[in-house]
Amino acid sequence: MRLLVTGGAGFIGANFVQQTVRERPDVTVTVLDALTYAGDRASLAPCAQDVDLVVGDVADVDLVDSLVAGCDAVVHLAAESHNDNSLADPRPFLRTNVEGTFTLLEAVRRHGRRFHHVSTDEVYGDLPLEGSTRFTESTPYNPSSPYSSTKAASDMLVRAWCRSYGVEATLSNCSNNYGPYQHVEKFIPRQISNLIDGVRPKLYGTGANVRDWIHVEDHNRAVWAILERGRAGRTYLIGADGEHTNREVVEALLEIFGHPRDAYDLVPDRPGHDLRYAIDSSLLREELGWEPTYRDFAAGLEATVRWYQDNERWWRPHKDRTEQRYRALGR
Ligand code: NAD
Ligand code: DAU
């Protein structure tokens, strides 16, 4: 199989490409990535020999057309992915997430290629903090932020291209990923890199918001299961029953670093901050037989801390600029 992976130099994409090269010698991988602030050639270093990296924009019609023509299937991960950035400047989110997805859909329609769209549980909005309700494939869309509304728009385009043009596409909506190669703007790597630098972790609001954590390798195995065995036109929710409050995550990190569990700071909240995400992934488990392999969040978190301690050269170049942005936001 000749696979085109968009956003393959980002967090989930680089893990997806590395895992694919490691485990599937029959697949040849081309990555299309604009190498924005969030993309890093170094994230593909372990498999650089085996991957063709094309630096370019998913909204570039001619480039996308020629790459799609030369592949059998597309896994679409490229996106502007950070909520805080989307609140400060939504425009790039519309261009990449909406126009970029449209550009890819038109190309796969022209060339009759298989398409998998990687999306987020944030399209469903949020759940109350109290209670045990979870998102399912039939939860109505109700996005809160510029980021999640552009991802919701991109999902709608994929569904429409399936129904109206018969494009052979699947969608997945996953909860919060953690693991190696995640940009230091995101919650867990920001706190780990802060702790390495002797800076106290920063919790938005009261730290009571809940996220449903999944290891990036489990997410990527689910994407492969859907690509190979998923039904065209279907949406699959991906989640590993990993609900924790943000405060619990910071306390666990402080414990790993041997600091008191309350050695964190509360900072002003994110506007429109979604309260709680939780995924019911029964369809994926029952129909495709997928199960998470990282079931112990504390152990996964500890391995992630070790990765950031051992790979400072990878994240250090991004740290100062990221914290400058946060300082400007007062967070
Ligand atoms: P990321 O920000 O780490 O990586 C995004 C990648 O896309 C970067 O390499 C960037 O250079 C590239 N990119 C951005 N704009 C581009 C453009 N116009 N053309 C080509 N490449 C471009 O994001 P991530 O966390 O790896 O997320 C990947 C995908 O997974 C996104 O679609 C995101 O919505 C989705 N997702 C993420 C999570 C999560 O927890 N991180 C959870 C569910 C779904
Ligand atoms: O649910 C899937 C989504 O998860 C993906 O679609 C997004 O691409 C990804 O960024 C992530 O979105 P979140 O907004 O949940 O992730 P973030 O890492 O920005 O924040 C996680 C939680 O931690 C959130 O409740 C905000 C909080 N937070 C974040 C930062 C950066 C803090 O308390 N302190 C911080 O310093």
Side-chain angles (χ1 to χ4, degrees):
M1 181 195 276
R2 297 165 304 165
L3 195 61
L4 177 64
V5 181
T6 74
F11 162 47
I12 300 173
N15 279 284
F16 180 83
V17 170
Q18 287 195 31
Q19 208 171 318
T20 300
V21 167
R22 257 194 332 264
E23 294 175 5
R24 295 170 185 266
D26 52 324
V27 177
T28 61
V29 180
T30 300
V31 167
L32 171 59
D33 198 296
L35 296 184
T36 67
Y37 80 95
D40 193 338
R41 206 180 272 278
S43 306
L44 292 172
C47 58
Q49 313 276 39
D50 301 299
V51 172
D52 187 14
L53 170 61
V54 178
V55 180
D57 186 347
V58 283
D60 178 334
V61 175
D62 293 336
L63 176 62
V64 165
D65 188 78
S66 70
L67 291 172
V68 168
C71 76
D72 302 307
V74 180
V75 174
H76 176 36
L77 293 125
E80 287 290 340
S81 70
H82 194 40
N83 276 301
D84 289 321
N85 294 344
S86 82
L87 291 158
D89 180 13
R91 189 171 292 279
F93 290 72
L94 284 150
R95 159 98 179 160
T96 294
N97 301 0
V98 182
E99 201 181 327
T101 303
F102 162 71
T103 305
L104 281 154
L105 284 169
E106 283 292 83
V108 294
R109 173 159 86 98
R110 271 192 300 276
H111 298 288
R113 299 298 189 256
R114 174 83 172 81
F115 186 72
H116 180 71
H117 182 60
V118 176
S119 193
T120 168
D121 60 354
E122 295 196 13
V123 298
Y124 300 115
D126 60 357
L127 298 161
L129 279 182
E130 306 304 329
S132 56
T133 46
R134 299 193 287 172
F135 298 134
T136 70
E137 285 77 6
S138 50
T139 302
Y141 275 40
N142 187 26
S144 315
S145 73
Y147 161 67
S148 53
S149 59
T150 58
K151 290 297 292 188
S154 69
D155 290 10
M156 293 301 166
L157 292 175
V158 179
R159 290 177 179 206
W161 261 243
C162 287
R163 171 146 178 179
S164 299
Y165 299 122
V167 164
E168 201 195 329
T170 41
L171 298 91
S172 54
N173 296 79
C174 187
S175 59
N176 286 64
N177 285 220
Y178 73 99
Y181 297 101
Q182 187 168 32
H183 195 281
V184 286
E185 70 187 354
K186 300 298 196 306
F187 177 53
I188 288 179
R190 184 183 187 206
Q191 314 314 330
I192 294 175
S193 51
N194 276 352
L195 283 162
I196 291 172
D197 283 347
V199 173
R200 286 160 69 94
K202 297 182 192 314
L203 278 172
Y204 291 177
T206 62
N209 301 56
V210 174
R211 295 294 182 264
D212 188 353
W213 293 99
I214 180 173
H215 195 277
V216 63
E217 285 185 18
D218 281 332
H219 179 186
N220 286 332
R221 288 212 172 83
V223 169
W224 261 111
I226 297 165
L227 188 64
E228 290 186 312
R229 305 192 299 283
R231 280 195 262 164
R234 273 229 148 163
T235 290
Y236 296 86
L237 260 58
I238 308 175
D241 301 332
E243 278 188 71
H244 294 280
T245 66
N246 294 336
R247 199 180 319 118
E248 285 166 352
V249 174
V250 158
E251 285 169 354
L253 290 172
L254 284 162
E255 203 167 296
I256 293 168
F257 278 85
H259 297 324
R261 284 167 69 85
D262 61 354
Y264 57 77
D265 292 327
L266 298 179
V267 297
D269 209 351
R270 170 189 285 171
H273 194 177
D274 279 341
L275 295 174
R276 173 173 160 256
Y277 305 140
I279 293 266
D280 177 348
S281 58
S282 308
L283 177 70
L284 175 70
R285 292 170 194 239
E286 284 160 21
E287 192 179 297
L288 303 183
W290 172 90
E291 289 291 335
T293 55
Y294 287 80
R295 290 167 190 279
D296 180 346
F297 180 64
L301 205 56
E302 189 154 356
T304 305
V305 168
R306 302 290 165 241
W307 189 88
Y308 280 87
Q309 286 172 327
D310 293 344
N311 290 275
E312 186 170 335
R313 267 206 310 190
W314 178 84
W315 58 265
R316 178 60 69 192
H318 304 285
K319 183 66 180 168
D320 281 355
R321 217 180 93 200
T322 301
E323 290 304 321
Q324 263 169 31
R325 282 193 199 166
Y326 278 123
R327 269 194 296 280
L329 295 171
R331 293 200 276 277

